[in-house]
Amino acid sequence: MNIILLGPQGSGKGTQAALLNARVGVVQVASGDVLRAAIQSASPLGLKAKSYYDVGELVPDELVIGLLIEAIDQVPAGTDVLLDGFPRTVAQARALDAALAERGSTIDKVVELRLPLDVAKERLSGRLVCRTCGAVYNERTRPPRVPRVCDIDGGPLYQRADDYPEAIEKRLKIWERENDALVGYYESRGILERVDAQGSPEDVSRDLLAIFAPSDASA
Ligand SMILES: [Zn+2]
């Protein structure tokens, strides 16, 4: 099965993907990781992607889709694939559908982690980064032992400009507009599932398992 995981920053997509991998063997294919790995490996598509990166341009959708399909091909047959980070827009979703259809494949399911934007904003605004080693903390969910001091090296913790409330709000608003359209697209195809992402990671994971491995969850 090819599954897309949608949800705002702060909805815990990475954590949930890792839990699904550990519990039912779902393999996460995250577009950001795939791009970075391709560029490092200097494969033909990777070199092409790098030429856009180097001049600060967005990597075109067709190239990202090509890389994603290569990554999906490397997952053993019969293993569920969880796409994360792509598509972000309806145009990308259509292009991905067309590329998969050419190969006799399809997106089987789309799971949306639902989180009110004010909760996402609150979760994200507590992020702190160590100036010395780059370790990431969260005032609310993963506080350092001493306020604003890194546990590892005692370096000062600071809030990145990206994590200022105004920057977060702007980012989430843009995300919301694109996401609403994307969700509508998949809903009209009848493959959309929704999971409430407000609970603890364990609660969310239980709800996801009910979708990914219904028999395991009821056992
Ligand atoms: Zn540090």
Side-chain angles (χ1 to χ4, degrees), residues 10-72:
S11 61
K13 279 189 295 178
T15 304
Q16 293 303 329
L19 286 171
L20 281 169
N21 179 263
R23 288 169 185 174
V24 287
V26 174
V27 171
Q28 183 193 24
V29 173
S31 55
D33 295 345
V34 167
L35 260 173
R36 273 189 295 276
I39 289 171
Q40 267 173 14
S41 76
S43 68
L45 286 183
L47 287 174
K48 229 171 156 182
K50 188 173 184 297
S51 69
Y52 290 93
Y53 250 54
D54 286 347
V55 293
E57 278 178 30
L58 274 181
V59 178
D61 290 348
E62 316 83 75
L63 193 47
V64 178
I65 290 169
L67 288 167
L68 285 178
I69 284 178
E70 271 189 5
I72 292 170

Side-chain angles (χ1 to χ4, degrees), residues 52-181:
Y52 290 93
Y53 250 54
D54 286 347
V55 293
E57 278 178 30
L58 274 181
V59 178
D61 290 348
E62 316 83 75
L63 193 47
V64 178
I65 290 169
L67 288 167
L68 285 178
I69 284 178
E70 271 189 5
I72 292 170
D73 281 348
Q74 284 164 24
V75 176
T79 303
D80 289 341
V81 173
L82 194 66
L83 287 174
D84 173 15
F86 193 96
R88 285 171 183 265
T89 66
V90 173
Q92 289 176 342
R94 290 212 169 95
L96 179 63
D97 281 346
L100 287 170
E102 260 175 39
R103 308 162 58 81
S105 185
T106 188
I107 295 295
D108 302 281
K109 206 170 266 190
V110 177
V111 180
E112 184 193 18
L113 289 180
R114 308 250 319 155
L115 191 69
L117 286 198
D118 54 339
V119 178
K121 195 177 148 187
E122 195 194 305
R123 286 186 182 181
L124 293 170
S125 59
R127 246 167 72 106
L128 294 170
V129 183
C130 173
R131 234 179 244 292
T132 311
C133 71
V136 177
Y137 298 85
N138 189 297
E139 275 173 336
R140 206 177 48 86
T141 55
R142 192 173 177 273
R145 283 193 297 267
V146 179
R148 297 255 164 179
V149 174
C150 180
D151 290 350
I152 301 163
D153 53 24
L157 304 183
Y158 75 109
Q159 194 172 37
R160 298 187 324 167
D162 270 7
D163 295 328
Y164 290 166
E166 315 79 61
I168 292 168
E169 184 152 357
K170 192 173 162 199
R171 203 156 69 227
L172 286 173
K173 280 267 154 60
I174 293 169
W175 169 86
E176 183 180 41
R177 201 171 52 227
E178 286 176 341
N179 186 68
D180 285 353

